[in-house]
Amino acid sequence: MDTIYMNQLASLVPKGEGVEEAMAAAAGMDISEIQKMADETRAELNKLFHGPGAESVVFTPGVGAALDAVIRALFKDGDHVLISSMESDDVMNALNDIGHEADNGVSGGVEYTRMPCNEKGQLVLFDPLKGEKGFDAVEKLLRPNTKAVIVNHASEVSGTILQAKEIAEFARRHGLLVIVNVAQTAGCVPIFMNIWGVDVMTFSGGYGLYATEKIGGFVASERAAALLGGADMRKKFEQDPLDAASIAGLHRAFRFIEEKTLHTLSSMGRQRVEQFIRKIQHVNGVHIIGPGYKDRIPVISIQTDFMEETELEETLKNEYGIVIQSGLHHAQEAHKTLGTYPRGTARFSFNYFNTEEEVEKLTQALWQLTVRSDKVSDVKRMPKE
């Protein structure tokens, strides 16, 4: 039985063409070669994100390390930050370690307030039923000591794309720092750091960049760089020596991206998730979490009436050779917003390497499991689109 891999967000299988080989070859490189690759990769990242310059790119051992380091470095006791209610455990753990949620009866440390998101995971900027408009819903959350806004550009649970551009506009009006995590969106959707006015953009070398999640980092605006160490920013946050294998892999991945074109790579993933939604939305007992075809990356979660998610993961793997991921996906607070906590979801993450035939096998498998179940009634055949 061939393996069908649909857990690309957690770890890429396969990586971009030539990436594994480049990572293996890095062991024989000298320091000058590694530094040259690192500088070229910084330039590619800056170009991709439309950032302030290659010198503003800092590498870390994964995106989690980048988020943790930036949050701890930028905020101090007495500061207040706004975060989306779709943030990852990396953000929540860092904030809870140096502070706490505002208005919970605890004093001291860094305080944070959640900007509300709806059941699809999108930011609620205003409520028309209350006569609100513009940014009314988030304006009321501001405090005299508010320093920044932190937003996950896309949810690792539901695939929802949050309104980073809009929230950055709001932040600029109030002179706030803007931190946007593009670990899920880099390579999947256009990103314009300078135009949007983002101060810190954290990224991962995995998923849409086709390298490895073992390398990540951040890009800092001139304003943020001054707060993060100025000319010593890289020395302060980067490993010494750099992870040569991960740098080499990401460096080669950009050649793969150039050869295939970013448009082709991103559109294939979108086609697969749209195909999946069109089929699965008609299957009894399957519930899609998050938005429809639009406003999402090629990541989707479901819950079912006929099987717990951990059991579904095991059954798909053992009976059909389909690898997915179940659980909370390192984003407990996002699940609370989506209404899927504490149960979790079954998550499918697609990319360029997933085929139409693979998605068809997945939907057939889910339908067959529905038919087998005595928990879902009135199931006769696999519905058409």
Side-chain angles (χ1 to χ4, degrees):
M1 179 171 55
D2 293 334
T3 298
I4 297 174
Y5 193 79
M6 295 180 169
N7 191 22
Q8 305 289 2
L9 191 60
S11 183
L12 284 162
V13 177
K15 295 177 173 58
E17 294 168 10
V19 169
E20 296 279 11
E21 294 81 357
M23 293 178 70
M29 291 185 177
D30 60 32
I31 295 175
S32 62
E33 289 179 293
I34 296 168
Q35 191 58 58
K36 182 175 182 293
M37 277 196 315
D39 290 342
E40 290 174 354
T41 306
R42 294 183 211 274
E44 291 288 358
L45 286 162
N46 182 70
K47 179 181 177 182
L48 176 67
F49 298 144
H50 298 86
E55 69 283 353
S56 66
V57 179
V58 175
F59 292 118
T60 62
V63 67
L67 284 163
D68 185 81
V70 165
I71 288 171
R72 292 175 185 275
L74 287 178
F75 308 121
K76 62 183 187 300
D77 286 4
D79 287 343
H80 174 253
V81 298
L82 298 177
I83 65 172
S84 83
S85 63
M86 294 293 289
E87 294 309 306
S88 68
D89 290 349
D90 290 321
V91 171
M92 301 310 302
N93 290 342
L95 286 172
N96 285 323
D97 195 44
I98 63 173
H100 54 86
E101 189 163 9
D103 300 324
N104 70 348
V106 179
S107 60
V110 177
E111 294 186 319
Y112 63 87
T113 299
R114 306 166 201 261
M115 297 179 289
C117 293
N118 60 27
E119 70 282 356
K120 294 182 179 180
Q122 299 156 326
L123 282 163
V124 178
L125 302 178
F126 64 93
D127 185 350
L129 296 179
K130 296 180 180 179
E132 296 178 343
K133 57 183 179 180
F135 298 103
D136 285 354
V138 287
E139 292 271 2
K140 65 180 66 175
L141 303 177
L142 288 171
R143 300 184 174 200
N145 58 334
T146 304
K147 303 297 182 183
V149 176
I150 302 174
V151 174
N152 196 8
H153 195 196
S155 169
E156 50 273 277
V157 177
S158 60
T160 308
I161 298 175
L162 281 72
Q163 308 95 306
K165 176 184 176 182
E166 288 78 7
I167 206 66
E169 176 189 339
F170 159 78
R172 286 200 309 274
R173 292 185 185 182
H174 298 279
L176 306 177
L177 289 168
V178 184
I179 301 171
V180 178
N181 178 27
V182 299
Q184 285 75 246
T185 52
C188 295
V189 299
I191 295 169
F192 300 94
M193 181 177 177
N194 279 346
I195 295 174
W196 295 351
V198 175
D199 289 289
V200 177
M201 189 166 277
T202 56
F203 64 88
S204 167
Y207 198 46
L209 296 188
Y210 290 90
T212 172
E213 69 281 354
K214 293 180 181 179
I215 188 171
F218 63 88
V219 188
S221 69
E222 184 177 350
R223 174 171 67 158
L227 297 171
L228 292 169
D232 295 325
M233 182 172 64
R234 283 191 202 166
K235 186 183 297 183
K236 181 178 178 181
F237 292 101
E238 285 191 341
Q239 288 180 306
D240 185 18
L242 290 170
D243 180 348
S246 295
I247 293 287
L250 186 53
H251 182 264
R252 180 59 181 86
F254 272 106
R255 194 194 309 173
F256 167 73
I257 291 170
E258 182 179 0
E259 291 167 353
K260 297 296 182 181
T261 76
L262 199 59
H263 172 75
T264 298
L265 292 171
S266 60
S267 64
M268 292 298 287
R270 289 197 302 271
Q271 288 175 32
R272 297 292 79 81
V273 76
E274 181 172 340
Q275 175 193 353
F276 180 64
I277 292 174
R278 287 187 182 280
K279 290 283 187 178
I280 210 66
Q281 66 185 346
H282 300 297
V283 177
N284 287 8
V286 174
H287 307 285
I288 297 170
I289 309 302
Y293 315 133
K294 298 181 179 180
D295 302 320
R296 70 157 62 247
I297 57 172
V299 173
I300 184 169
S301 276
I302 66 169
Q303 288 184 332
T304 78
D305 294 335
F306 55 85
M307 192 174 284
E308 290 294 325
E309 284 63 45
T310 53
E311 184 184 359
L312 179 60
E313 178 184 355
E314 293 173 2
T315 302
L316 286 174
K317 181 179 180 180
N318 296 334
E319 296 187 21
Y320 300 92
I322 299 173
V323 177
I324 68 164
Q325 187 179 81
S326 64
L328 297 177
H329 317 295
H330 306 289
Q332 179 173 300
E333 296 305 317
H335 280 279
K336 292 178 180 179
T337 298
L338 296 165
T340 52
Y341 182 84
R343 177 174 167 177
T345 62
R347 186 184 72 186
F348 310 84
S349 46
F350 310 108
N351 69 5
Y352 168 79
F353 290 109
N354 292 113
T355 66
E356 185 176 347
E357 292 73 23
E358 288 178 342
V359 175
E360 184 64 26
K361 288 179 180 178
L362 170 61
T363 53
Q364 288 285 346
L366 290 171
W367 171 68
Q368 290 172 14
L369 293 175
T370 304
V371 171
R372 273 167 34 181
S373 173
D374 58 2
K375 298 180 182 179
V376 181
S377 61
D378 194 27
V379 178
K380 297 180 180 179
R381 61 184 175 84
M382 177 67 181
K384 298 180 179 180
E385 292 184 26

